[in-house]
Amino acid sequence: MTGDLRACTVVVPTIGRPSLGVLLDALAAGRGPRPAEIVLVDDRPSGAPLQAERAGLPPFRVVCTGGRGPAAARNLGWRAARTDWVAFLDDDVVPDPDWYERLAGDLAALPADVAGSQGRVRVPLPEHRRPTDWERGTAGLATSSWITADLAYRRAALAAVGGFDERFPRAFREDSDLALRVMDTGSRLTRGERWITHPVRPTDRWVSLRVQAGNADDVLMRRLHGRTWRERADTAVGRRPGHLAVTAAALAALGLAAAGRPRAAAAAAAGWVAGTAEFAWARIAPGPRDRAEVTTMLTTSALIPPLATWHFLRGAVRHRAVTRWRGLPYLVLFDRDGTLVHDEPYNGDPAKVRPVEGAREALDALRARGVRIGLVTNQSGVGRGLITREQADAVNARVAELLGPLDTVQVCPHAPEDGCGCRKPAPGMVKAACTELDVEPARCVVIGDIGADVEAAAAAGAHGILVPTPVTRPQEVAAAAHRAPTLTEAVDDVLAGTW
């Protein structure tokens, strides 16, 4: 069955590898329905603009992270999407010619409890010789679960769990972590019928040493998901216990030798040699066994155990007090007067709008991370006849001109005595903004300078942050669960996930 891809955005995080061009060529030539958009996320710290134009591609745009890593890149991509589904593709894969057709079929009429659909992966290995250690490792992707080389998620499911955990700095375990958190909500993940090819990318002989940094990420996984995380994520245990034992033998040999106990030191050294030899042969035996491969395996097999142990211990220290990932909110709503701009009572003159210090930079920082921004403002001057609604709207337009575009603007034009449901501390404007942008209030933050702002947030099921000013009453400050000294620091809290 073929479905409609207009409800899907394809997100491709990239660091500008040559393989990106191959992927884009395949997407341009593919047959079948096109998605609503391709969002190409440039995760390089800097560089010339990416050349993505191809005849046959769906509409596309490029957004930039500044080099914050794969988890942050994928987060920016899905937050930029406005469709119900987001399909992630890595920049080094090649979709089959019928990938669009099969993706549409995979997503068509999925039950509501299915939050994601994984594609199928083939890894071509050389036919004229045995694969190298690196090639065999890459081939493991063909049987891995929930890898984002090709995985489509409902955008609502991503928003509900805060997206990818950006504390995973590499393209490793961040996809398994996301899958487990999504399934923890009661949703299911399925396998589709679409296929991609994942070539073995060229690398140098020391790649197996660099990937040992993933041992720290394994510690983070255990801290977040408990002892059974490997079973749930369908991940092999690996050789870490052996690496710990071999490293302990090496350290024991050195320590005993320094203590003047040669026999005990020799016994410990023999244990290290035996463990290292077993590990090296396990990597050499299934490979091509040519001179270059054997030399690389012997050298790296001696270095991997202590390196893996070091990264494991580093992770144990770094993640000893880690908490559940919250991610960024999907929407931040700001009070206007006293929060974004200096308060001018009943202001109807756009010329009097003066942003508070750091306001533009704070809002731009949210936009750069894909967080949507809105305004919720009481304008009782309209209801009291002191200004017109047109004047209030003109002031709001000036705010947007000075501080950048706003995704929603909610105005209460009523006087306090009107008893409306929109005037803060009532939740009406917050709920209306969330409804307009299809955001769960639990993923929304409201930042304001008086108690009515945070009370409106609480009443709507959102989160409030108070930024006190001289007009904020002491009892309002005392009652606020979350306070920040300045607007900039309030936004910093949001971006740090402490909201």
Side-chain angles (χ1 to χ4, degrees), residues 210-231:
R210 293 194 297 275
V211 301
Q212 299 310 311
N215 284 278
D217 303 322
D218 284 350
V219 176
L220 179 55
M221 286 292 289
R222 178 164 174 164
R223 292 280 194 269
L224 294 171
H225 301 288
R227 293 173 179 270
T228 62
W229 75 267
R230 290 184 181 275
E231 299 170 18

Side-chain angles (χ1 to χ4, degrees), residues 429-447:
M429 287 191 289
V430 177
K431 288 184 174 180
C434 290
T435 299
E436 178 185 341
L437 299 178
D438 191 24
V439 176
E440 288 292 328
R443 303 298 303 182
C444 172
V445 172
V446 180
I447 299 177

Side-chain angles (χ1 to χ4, degrees), residues 148-287:
T148 43
D150 179 1
L151 184 55
Y153 274 106
R154 293 187 192 271
R155 184 166 56 88
L158 295 168
V161 299
F164 292 86
D165 189 334
E166 296 177 18
R167 293 171 297 187
F168 290 91
R170 289 162 288 277
F172 184 70
R173 301 300 190 217
E174 84 292 353
D175 42 14
S176 296
D177 166 74
L178 174 64
L180 294 185
R181 286 187 287 116
V182 169
M183 290 189 286
D184 283 344
T185 68
S187 297
R188 294 187 294 126
L189 303 179
T190 64
R191 289 186 183 270
E193 297 301 324
R194 63 194 184 277
W195 283 87
I196 60 169
T197 298
H198 194 304
V200 180
R201 68 176 185 266
T203 190
D204 60 77
R205 65 187 301 190
W206 307 116
V207 64
S208 61
L209 300 182
R210 293 194 297 275
V211 301
Q212 299 310 311
N215 284 278
D217 303 322
D218 284 350
V219 176
L220 179 55
M221 286 292 289
R222 178 164 174 164
R223 292 280 194 269
L224 294 171
H225 301 288
R227 293 173 179 270
T228 62
W229 75 267
R230 290 184 181 275
E231 299 170 18
R232 297 182 58 212
D234 192 22
T235 300
V237 173
R239 300 183 65 101
R240 185 184 302 120
H243 292 335
L244 290 171
V246 169
T247 303
L251 292 175
L254 293 172
L256 290 167
R261 299 177 60 187
R263 289 187 179 180
W272 172 77
V273 170
T276 301
E278 184 277 329
F279 178 41
W281 179 245
R283 302 171 71 205
I284 292 170

